[in-house]
Every structure is written in structure tokens, then in C-alpha cells.
Amino acid sequence: PLKLNLSGEVYLNQAVAMLGYPRGIPLKIDLNGKVIRTHVGYAQYDLKIDAFHGNSGSPILDRRTGDVIGVLVSGQSDLRARNSPRNR
């Protein structure tokens, strides 16, 4: 089982990782993520991480400790399926 870090302590440039099963991929892992923005007073932060649509709910891990420090809830649209109406 993964250990939860509920302290809420997240800092800029903190090294993070993510794993999940988006878009039918057997396993998507990114070990090179980092915190790029924190929001004072909110339990929310922005990451630079390679996530796909469907990674929502994936654990965000502190790379140093392996503890879960958050859950991915949304991302920017940069991956589009080849037959997507936006790509026609």
C-alpha cells in the first residue's frame, strides 16, 4: 500500500511522480514531474507532468519519500486522438 502524506506541505520544484492507466494504456508512469506553482491557502498546486486524458485520480507521489501527496484532477489539452473533430 502507498503511504499518504496529509501534511499539505508541497514546495516549488518538488520532484514528483505519477502512475496510472489512461486511455487503455497498460501503465503510464512519469518519474520526471515537478511542482511549478503552489496556491497559498488552498490544498492545490500545479505540476509539470506528462499526463493523459484518463489520468484523473492518479496518485501524485513525492519522489524523495514515495508518499502520496495528492491526486491528479485535471490537465491541459495537448493530446488529441487522430480522428478527433478538432484535428480535421
Side-chain angles (χ1 to χ4, degrees):
L2 297 172
K3 180 181 172 194
L4 296 177
N5 179 340
L6 302 176
S7 72
E9 295 177 10
V10 175
Y11 55 90
L12 285 177
N13 296 313
Q14 181 173 355
V16 297
M18 179 209 58
L19 55 99
Y21 299 89
R23 302 182 67 85
I25 296 171
L27 178 60
K28 169 76 174 110
I29 301 173
D30 184 356
L31 301 175
N32 298 308
K34 71 177 181 178
V35 176
I36 59 170
R37 184 178 306 124
T38 60
H39 301 274
V40 177
Y42 295 93
Q44 176 181 338
Y45 48 90
D46 298 340
L47 305 173
K48 179 178 180 183
I49 202 155
D50 187 22
F52 292 164
H53 178 77
N55 266 123
S56 295
S58 294
I60 302 300
L61 309 169
D62 180 323
R63 273 202 354 237
R64 185 178 55 80
T65 65
D67 294 351
V68 176
I69 60 169
V71 176
L72 187 74
V73 294
S74 67
Q76 296 180 347
S77 296
D78 63 349
L79 172 70
R80 294 200 174 102
R82 190 170 281 177
N83 293 327
S84 170
R86 291 183 183 178
N87 289 341
R88 292 183 190 165

